[in-house]
Amino acid sequence: MAKTKSIHGEWSSRFAYILAATGSAVGLGNIWKFPYITGENGGGAFVLVYLGCVLAIGIPIMIAETLMGRRGRQSPINTLRDLSAEAGVSPHWQYLGWMGVVAGVLILSYYSVIAGWAIAYVFKAFFGGFSADAAIVKSSFDNLVASPGQLIFWHSVFMVATISVVMRGVKGGLEKAVLLLMPALLALLFLLVAYAMTTGEYYFQGLSFLFSPDFSEIDSDAVLTAMGHAFFTLGLGMGAIMVYGSYMPKGISIVKTSLYIAGADTIVALLAGIAIFPLVFANGLEPGSGPGLIFQTLPIAFGNMTGGWLFGVLFFVLLVFAALTSSISLVEPIVAWLVENKGVSRAKASVISGGAIWALGVSVALSFNSWSDVKIFDKTIFNFLDYLTANLMLPIGGFCIAVFAGWLMHQKDVRNELNLPDQQYEIWKFLVSYIAPAAVFIVFLHVLGLF
Ligand code: PHE
């Protein structure tokens, strides 16, 4: 039988849930990762595939993952154990929860290093380190990334911040922070878009890069990256939204809230792209210059604006907060599990998991400099972890979630959670049982060269 309450507490309202889940979705994925992978993969066609994946795969799976969480009301591992008993299927499904926990730990280990760059940029902006000259901006970024000490320091700052929020639990602080943060972040993005418009022809070049698809630009690996990013940016496939769903009061519409969250997430990513690509072209930079893209472009905009240092500080502060509201959702599954199964306090659980993630993150920080020659499957530690999690683990996790909700759970239980009119239910059911799993499967076959 479905539990009615989680032992970890509940969101105080529907709005609070939307804020928290949007906080999980909107993060570095939208502002840092989306532009640079779009740049690396040729622009428009990649964007179109990504948007298609959000619609046809992401949203249906987000609904599935949330409803499973709300029905199980525990950490993803225990939720899957209970839901598999309820559905009368193998208890081995709880390994799906385990895979999610591992994915969360791996993702946060590099996420935190990049969030550390953003913290460093708050200070750079404040001390007048931004310049209108693209070459100066680039060398300042290169210097930061070349310094193991600085990267480890800022990564540590970010991990400490994450742990201290998670320790306080799902409601304390978090809800309020997001309430302020989201509108402010949007306002600053609009400011950057307005700045991008002043670049004249380059603004249109940026728009056309983003929105006029040229399919000869993409191959199966680009399609995999676009699909993986749909999971990453929505925070799907590893239990983050499942655990947030488990704190969702009954009576709130899972479908509507999922649509809002996915909509907000997509808008933020597109705005970031619109702000950044005109600057890339106006300054003769390479769209495919990689993970440093926003750090090499946005400071130019701030360097050019009057009062740019202040907007720069604000922007990077907001980016750090956006990263923080995502990072806490990445550790929450393991923290909830430690509390449930190991009987430790929330504080202790947060410190243990945070410590392990921090240690792993140190190797990621080094992979940008001293350890840049260390390769796993031909990739640096950072690139390997990114590929493994976003392109493989999240889509596999999402595939299993779709199969579980679409094929294994009793339909009356699913209907009871979703509470939808018949026709809408049938549409979702079709997407989650057939379209989403088939799409993931076909993309994998394609990458393996089997299709
Ligand atoms: N969605 C977050 C972002 O775009 C990252 C994330 C991934 C959060 C997976 C939770 C789970 O930055």
Side-chain angles (χ1 to χ4, degrees):
M1 198 33 221
K3 290 194 169 28
T4 51
K5 260 210 152 69
S6 157
I7 60 162
H8 310 283
E10 245 183 29
W11 306 112
S12 51
S13 64
R14 174 181 117 116
F15 190 55
Y17 168 75
I18 295 179
L19 286 176
T22 309
S24 162
V26 175
L28 296 175
N30 306 65
I31 294 170
W32 158 74
K33 193 172 181 191
F34 170 73
Y36 97 74
I37 58 176
T38 298
E40 285 180 340
N41 290 286
F46 177 85
V47 174
L48 209 62
V49 176
Y50 150 75
L51 291 175
C53 290
V54 167
L55 271 180
I57 309 176
I59 294 174
I61 292 182
M62 181 180 253
I63 295 171
E65 191 171 334
T66 313
L67 84 86
M68 286 165 64
R70 190 168 70 181
R71 197 161 180 83
R73 293 258 183 239
Q74 296 154 82
S75 67
I77 296 170
N78 291 328
T79 283
L80 277 154
R81 186 199 56 211
D82 283 13
L83 291 185
S84 48
E86 185 180 65
V89 298
S90 157
H92 286 129
W93 277 92
Q94 58 184 294
Y95 290 113
L96 174 56
W98 278 108
M99 182 172 76
V101 161
V102 173
V105 166
L106 298 179
I107 292 175
L108 189 48
S109 74
Y110 67 81
Y111 203 84
S112 169
V113 173
I114 310 294
W117 298 358
I119 308 181
Y121 268 61
V122 171
F123 291 91
K124 257 196 214 296
F126 185 79
F127 291 109
F130 288 174
S131 158
D133 181 334
I136 297 181
V137 167
K138 181 172 181 334
S139 77
S140 144
F141 174 74
D142 292 343
N143 284 339
L144 169 70
V145 174
S147 157
Q150 289 193 51
L151 294 198
I152 294 172
F153 176 74
W154 296 117
H155 155 62
S156 312
V157 171
F158 186 77
M159 276 315 300
V160 169
T162 301
I163 295 167
S164 33
V165 179
V166 178
M167 266 167 53
R168 292 190 172 78
V170 291
K171 271 198 288 192
L174 166 61
E175 284 186 15
K176 284 172 214 101
V178 185
L179 182 59
L180 233 137
L181 158 91
M182 284 296 151
L185 186 64
L186 266 183
L188 266 261
L189 277 175
F190 278 114
L191 173 82
L192 285 168
V193 169
Y195 177 80
M197 285 178 181
T198 66
T199 61
E201 56 176 307
Y202 297 113
Y203 178 65
F204 295 101
Q205 196 182 344
L207 284 186
S208 116
F209 180 77
L210 272 173
F211 297 115
S212 41
D214 169 1
F215 283 93
S216 67
E217 288 280 342
I218 55 175
D219 55 8
S220 61
D221 227 31
V223 173
L224 177 66
T225 305
M227 180 179 78
H229 187 64
F231 283 97
F232 185 88
T233 189
L234 296 173
L236 301 179
M238 51 71 57
I241 199 78
M242 195 182 288
V243 83
Y244 274 20
S246 76
Y247 308 143
M248 187 197 229
K250 192 81 189 158
I252 292 176
S253 163
I254 291 178
V255 174
K256 273 195 210 146
T257 49
S258 299
L259 290 172
Y260 291 142
I261 296 159
D265 186 77
T266 308
I267 289 171
V268 172
L270 294 178
L271 284 175
I274 297 172
I276 285 159
F277 284 106
L279 293 176
V280 170
F281 296 119
N283 292 285
L285 300 166
E286 260 306 306
S289 45
L293 191 66
I294 68 161
F295 297 95
Q296 293 168 13
T297 47
L298 296 181
I300 304 175
F302 295 123
N304 264 317
M305 279 176 211
T306 13
W309 71 271
L310 180 61
F311 293 123
V313 169
L314 272 176
F315 177 82
F316 283 102
V317 165
L318 290 169
L319 184 59
V320 172
F321 272 101
L324 195 58
T325 56
S326 299
S327 66
I328 54 182
S329 74
L330 284 161
V331 252
E332 184 62 24
I334 171 118
V335 168
W337 180 80
L338 284 169
V339 172
E340 287 163 12
N341 288 43
K342 298 288 159 201
V344 294
S345 67
R346 182 168 254 283
K348 205 164 168 192
S350 312
V351 173
I352 297 172
S353 17
I357 295 167
W358 175 83
L360 198 60
V362 168
S363 72
V364 176
L366 295 175
S367 78
F368 287 100
N369 37 66
S370 326
W371 289 6
S372 60
D373 293 338
V374 178
K375 296 280 166 73
I376 312 174
F377 292 111
D378 233 18
K379 291 177 168 19
T380 63
I381 298 175
F382 162 72
N383 284 323
F384 172 73
L385 288 178
D386 174 41
Y387 192 92
L388 174 70
T389 53
N391 292 10
L392 303 178
M393 293 176 91
L394 299 185
I396 293 171
F399 175 91
C400 296
I401 286 166
V403 168
F404 196 90
W407 295 89
L408 303 179
M409 287 177 75
H410 297 307
Q411 291 309 300
K412 67 167 187 355
D413 297 341
V414 174
R415 274 178 179 265
N416 179 290
E417 291 300 329
L418 291 186
N419 201 5
L420 280 180
D422 280 347
Q423 203 188 11
Q424 290 176 25
Y425 175 78
E426 292 304 334
I427 296 176
W428 170 78
K429 176 88 171 70
F430 178 72
L431 289 171
V432 85
S433 318
Y434 297 98
I435 302 297
V440 175
F441 195 65
I442 291 172
V443 174
F444 277 133
L445 285 185
H446 208 64
V447 171
L448 293 171
L450 299 173
F451 181 77

